[in-house]
């Protein structure tokens, strides 16, 4: 056990995830411990360049879990997901759904910023998947919304295009939790003509959430 792990253990902070234990065992860790643990995580090289771990934010009882790809520069500085221009647009999309941030939970596939805002690679996504799996277990959302191709590819293990992934109901792993794929707000800022398609996505989401 490393010196850091020794210290965390002495503080009664759960360190089981550091020892690559099974997902079932990790799921017994409380949400707060998990978030605290993430601050010390060095399971992948993104730990070397991050300023802050961006674990996620919102209601732990949320019916809607929103997953983006990775923190960017503003998120790395603030420690919060989806701030800056893309975050503002996400707020507007949530408003269209009659929602606010405190009613949903927002996170990313990896919790630390990839340098130069590159896409996270498969090793980094795999290293961080224990945190995301545990967040999903703990929140137990009624629906998951994946923002953009990177989130969809990594969680659904697919190489299908956004055009074929959008507008369909998918399911999270072997559960009955429905998942929808939306355009990433950063993409919508670059391609404003696509914004109108978000309304179709919201209508599809409502057909699922209205029954929740
Ligand atoms: S991205 Fe995830 S696995 Fe990698 S250092 Fe950050 S918290 Fe740990």
């Amino acid at each position: 056990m490393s010196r850091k792990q020794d210290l965390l253990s002495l503080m009664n902070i759960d360190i089981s995830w550091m020892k690559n234990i099974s997902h079932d065992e990790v799921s017994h860790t409380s949400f707060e411990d998990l978030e605290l643990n993430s601050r010390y995580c060095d399971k992948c090289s993104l730990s070397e360049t991050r300023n802050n771990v961006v674990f996620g934010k919102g209601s732990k009882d949320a019916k809607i879990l929103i997953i983006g790809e990775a923190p960017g520069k503003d998120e790395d500085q603030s420690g919060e997901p989806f701030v800056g221009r893309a975050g503002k647009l996400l707020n507007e999309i949530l408003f269209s759904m009659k929602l606010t941030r405190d009613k949903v939970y927002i996170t990313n596939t990896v919790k630390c910023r990839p340098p130069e805002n590159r896409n996270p690679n498969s090793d980094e996504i795999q290293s961080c998947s224990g945190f995301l799996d545990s967040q999903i277990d703990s929140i137990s959302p009624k629906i998951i919304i994946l923002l953009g191709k990177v989130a969809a590819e990594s969680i659904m293990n697919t190489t299908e295009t956004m055009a074929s992934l959008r507008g369909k109901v998918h399911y999270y792993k072997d559960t009955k939790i429905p998942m929808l794929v939306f355009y990433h707000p950063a993409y919508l800022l670059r391609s404003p003509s696509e914004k109108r398609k978000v309304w179709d996505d919201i209508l599809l989401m409502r057909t699922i959430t209205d029954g929740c």
Side-chain angles (χ1 to χ4, degrees):
M1 195 180 284
S2 70
R3 190 173 151 71
K4 182 169 72 181
Q5 285 171 305
D6 268 327
L7 191 63
L8 291 172
S9 200
L10 282 171
M11 291 163 70
N12 285 327
I13 293 172
D14 186 279
I15 58 165
S16 52
W17 59 276
M18 286 182 170
K19 295 184 283 186
N20 291 326
I21 64 163
S22 72
H23 170 63
D24 283 349
E25 288 169 283
V26 170
S27 67
H28 292 303
T29 307
S30 80
F31 205 84
E32 287 71 22
D33 283 347
L34 202 66
E35 182 163 4
L36 188 57
N37 288 345
S38 74
R39 289 187 211 159
Y40 300 92
C41 180
D42 56 7
K43 279 179 79 179
C44 82
S45 61
L46 298 183
S47 63
E48 293 162 18
T49 47
R50 73 179 177 224
N51 286 301
N52 283 295
V53 173
V54 185
F55 185 73
K57 190 135 181 149
S59 167
K60 285 142 197 117
D61 301 317
K63 288 181 179 171
I64 301 174
L65 174 64
I66 298 173
I67 304 173
E69 60 181 68
K73 186 177 174 200
D74 293 331
E75 289 79 14
D76 179 57
Q77 290 295 332
S78 67
E80 288 200 20
F82 284 91
V83 293
R85 287 179 68 220
K88 266 190 170 177
L89 182 53
L90 179 60
N91 289 349
E92 287 171 24
I93 294 169
L94 288 173
F95 186 73
S96 312
M97 299 173 180
K98 300 187 176 25
L99 289 168
T100 50
R101 279 187 180 232
D102 58 339
K103 296 279 188 285
V104 300
Y105 193 88
I106 304 171
T107 188
N108 286 298
T109 56
V110 295
K111 314 305 183 198
C112 304
R113 181 195 181 203
E116 310 302 326
N117 288 353
R118 64 164 170 76
N119 290 342
N121 65 38
S122 55
D123 285 347
E124 292 155 355
I125 290 168
Q126 180 57 36
S127 296
C128 216
S129 62
F131 286 122
L132 184 62
D133 286 343
S134 296
Q135 285 174 310
I136 294 171
D137 272 358
S138 181
I139 294 168
S140 194
K142 299 291 182 209
I143 185 167
I144 296 172
I145 294 175
L146 304 176
L147 292 179
K149 191 165 163 46
V150 172
E153 276 181 353
S154 61
I155 290 173
M156 296 167 60
N157 198 20
T158 179
T159 53
E160 282 186 51
T161 62
M162 281 296 287
S164 67
L165 292 169
R166 275 188 57 254
K168 291 180 196 155
V169 181
H170 310 271
Y171 291 90
Y172 175 66
K173 295 190 174 171
D174 53 357
T175 72
K176 293 196 168 112
I177 303 174
M179 288 195 303
L180 298 181
V181 178
F182 282 24
Y183 284 124
H184 194 286
Y187 169 78
L188 294 172
L189 287 171
R190 292 192 303 271
S191 313
S193 62
E194 301 282 39
K195 278 188 191 172
R196 62 190 167 78
K197 293 185 184 168
V198 176
W199 186 242
D200 297 330
D201 296 334
I202 292 170
L203 290 178
L204 178 59
M205 190 204 75
R206 281 200 185 143
T207 64
I208 298 168
T209 54
D210 281 357
C212 296

